Amino acid sequence: MKSISLLGAALLDWFEAVGRAGIFLAQSIFRVPVRFNEAVRLLVQQLYSVGVLSLVIVVVSGAFIGMVLALQGYSILAKFGSEEAVGQLLALSLLRELAPVVTALLFAGRAGSSLTAEIGLMKATEQLSSFEMMGVDPLRRVIAPRFIAGVICLPLLSLIFSATGIMGGYVVSVNWLGVHDGAFWSQMQQSVYFDTDIINGFIKALCFSVAVTWIAVYQGYECVPTSEGIGKATTRTVVLGSLAILALDFVLTAAMFGDF
Amino acid sequence: MAVTEAYIKVQNVRFSRGGRMIYDDVSLTIPKGKITAVMGPSGTGKTTLLRLIAAQLTPDSGTILVDGQNVHALSRSALYKVRKKMGMLFQSGALFSDMSVAENIAFPMEEHTKLTRDEIATIVSSKLHSVGLRGAASLMPSELSGGMARRVALARAIALDPELVMYDEPFTGQDPISKGVLVKLIRQLNDDANITSVLVSHDVEESLSIADHVCILSGGTVIAEGSAAEIQASSDPQVVQFLKGEPDGPVPFHYPEDKHSEEAVI
C-alpha cells in the first residue's frame, strides 16, 4: 500500500510541476515587453547570445557529421556500385533526422545550459526580485525574450547544420573519394522533396526548440538560488532537454514518415 | 516619540515556511517619514518582513497595509503600481550585471516615466552625485567594490523618488568607512525627501544611531518597540541580550530540534 501511495504522490507532484511549467510558459509568451523598441532590443540581444554564439559548434559539428556520413555511406554504396547515391543519402539523413536532432542536442548543451545558469544566477543575486520590486515583470523582461529567441534560433541553426553537413559530405565524396560532381547534386535534387523532407525537418526542429527552451528557462526560474541549486538545474536542463528531444523525435518521425 | 501617521500597518500576521513558524501573530506599525529599524537575531525573519511588505511573499493570515492599501489583496497590475512608490536596497545590491552603473539607475525611469534621454541622464547624474559616485557612471557592476555597489543600488532605489525605501542589511560586510557613509546617506535621504525608511539590520550601533523608531523581533513575535532611547533603556532580558551581544540568555544559541531527531540522538 505504501509503495502505491508513494507512486501516487510522485505522479501528483509530476502533474503539478507540468501544470506549473505550462502556466509559466503561457505567462511568458503573452507578457511581451510594453515598449516596442525595448522588446526588439532585448530580442536581438538574445538572438545573438542564444543563436549567433551557437553557430561555431553547429557549423563545425555539421561539417564533421556530413564528412563522416559521406565516408560511411560511400563505403557501403560502393559495394553495390551506386556510390553516386551518396548525395541522396546525405541530404535525406541530414534534413529528416540528423540536423534537427543533433542541432537540438547541441543547443540544449550550449544555449540551454547557459540560459538556465544565467537566469538561476539572476535569481540567486536577487536581480529577478529587483525587477519585481521596480514594478517590472521578470517574465516579460527576462524570460519572454530568451524563450522567443530560442524558438527562432534552433530551426535556423538546424538548416545551417544541414547545409554545412552537405558541404562537408560534398568535399569528402566528390573531392576526395571521386564521386561525380553532377551525379552527387542530381541524385540529391531528384530525391529530396521540399514539403516532406525540408518542411518536416524544420517542423521537428521547431518542436525541439519549444521543448528545450521551455525546459531551460523554467529550470532557471524555478531553481534553488544557491550554487548547488543552479548546478543541479543546469544538469536537469541538459538531461531533460535531451530526453525530450529523443522522445519527441520518435513521435514526430512516426507521425511524419511512419507508413502505418 | 510624538504621535505620527502610520505608513505601514502589519496586523496579526502569521507566516510559516517549510513547516517552521516565522511569524506568530505579529503586529507593528511603521511611522510615515521616519526611519524604522527592524532588528533581531539572525533567522528571525527580518528580510521576510520586507518581502511580506512588498507582497513578494503572502502571509498565512493577517493583513499588511501600505499607505492604506492591503497589498496582498491587490491585482498584479495594481501591486506593480504600488511598488513604483517603493524602493528596496537588497542585501546583495542586486544590480543588473549586464548594465552599467548609469544604465542601472536609468532603468526604472525608462520603464515607468516618459522622460527624455537627456532628462534621465541629468537625474542619473544627480542621483549618483548624491551617493558620491558620479565618476563611476560608466563602470560595470563587476568593477565595483561591495560598498560602491551598495551605494549604486541605493541610488537606483531612490531613482523614482519613492515614498518608502526598504534597506535589507545595508551594513553587512561593509568596512567602517562604508558603514559610516551609508549611515549618513540613509539619514540624509530620509530627511531631504521625507521618505519613510525601513531598515532591517542586526548592526546595533549603526541602526540605533539613525533610527527614529525601533522594533526588535525574536521567536516569531515583536519583543520590543519604541524609540532608540527607549530600546536602549529596556530591561527586558531578551532585548538586553541582543543589544549587548551576550551568548547566554533567553534567546537560544541552538536551532530547535524536532522530537524525532532528539530521540535519534538519544
Side-chain angles (χ1 to χ4, degrees), chain A residues 85-166:
Chain A
V86 75
Q88 173 187 351
L89 172 93
L90 259 175
L92 290 180
S93 315
L94 283 167
L95 288 167
R96 285 181 173 191
E97 199 60 49
L98 285 173
V101 172
V102 177
T103 310
L105 291 172
L106 292 171
F107 188 82
R110 207 226 68 97
S113 58
S114 155
L115 283 174
T116 303
E118 187 189 12
I119 296 167
L121 205 57
M122 288 177 89
K123 187 175 183 182
T125 54
E126 297 180 304
Q127 291 182 50
L128 297 182
S129 294
S130 195
F131 279 122
E132 282 194 342
M133 276 309 299
M134 287 178 198
V136 175
D137 186 354
L139 288 181
R140 76 171 169 83
R141 184 66 174 61
V142 177
I143 304 299
R146 284 166 175 75
F147 178 76
I148 296 166
V151 171
I152 293 171
C153 285
L154 179 48
L156 298 178
L157 288 170
S158 171
L159 289 178
I160 293 169
F161 186 99
S162 292
T164 50
I166 290 169

Side-chain angles (χ1 to χ4, degrees), chain B residues 26-41:
Chain B
V26 164
S27 295
L28 56 92
T29 53
I30 310 281
K32 191 171 186 174
K34 305 281 181 192
I35 298 177
T36 300
V38 177
M39 301 166 74

Side-chain angles (χ1 to χ4, degrees), chain A residues 20-94:
Chain A
R20 236 189 358 251
I23 293 167
F24 168 82
L25 179 67
Q27 288 177 338
S28 305
I29 292 170
F30 295 116
R31 285 191 198 154
V32 290
V34 179
R35 290 179 296 135
F36 181 74
N37 288 350
E38 180 69 359
V40 172
R41 191 186 67 78
L42 289 171
L43 184 61
V44 169
Q45 205 174 47
Q46 290 309 316
L47 286 172
Y48 174 78
S49 150
V50 170
V52 177
L53 295 183
S54 302
L55 265 176
V56 173
I57 191 170
V58 166
V59 167
V60 173
S61 307
F64 277 113
I65 284 178
M67 289 195 282
V68 169
L69 208 58
L71 278 174
Q72 293 279 13
Y74 181 87
S75 69
I76 294 168
L77 291 168
K79 287 179 186 168
F80 306 101
S82 46
E83 54 270 27
E84 280 82 11
V86 75
Q88 173 187 351
L89 172 93
L90 259 175
L92 290 180
S93 315
L94 283 167

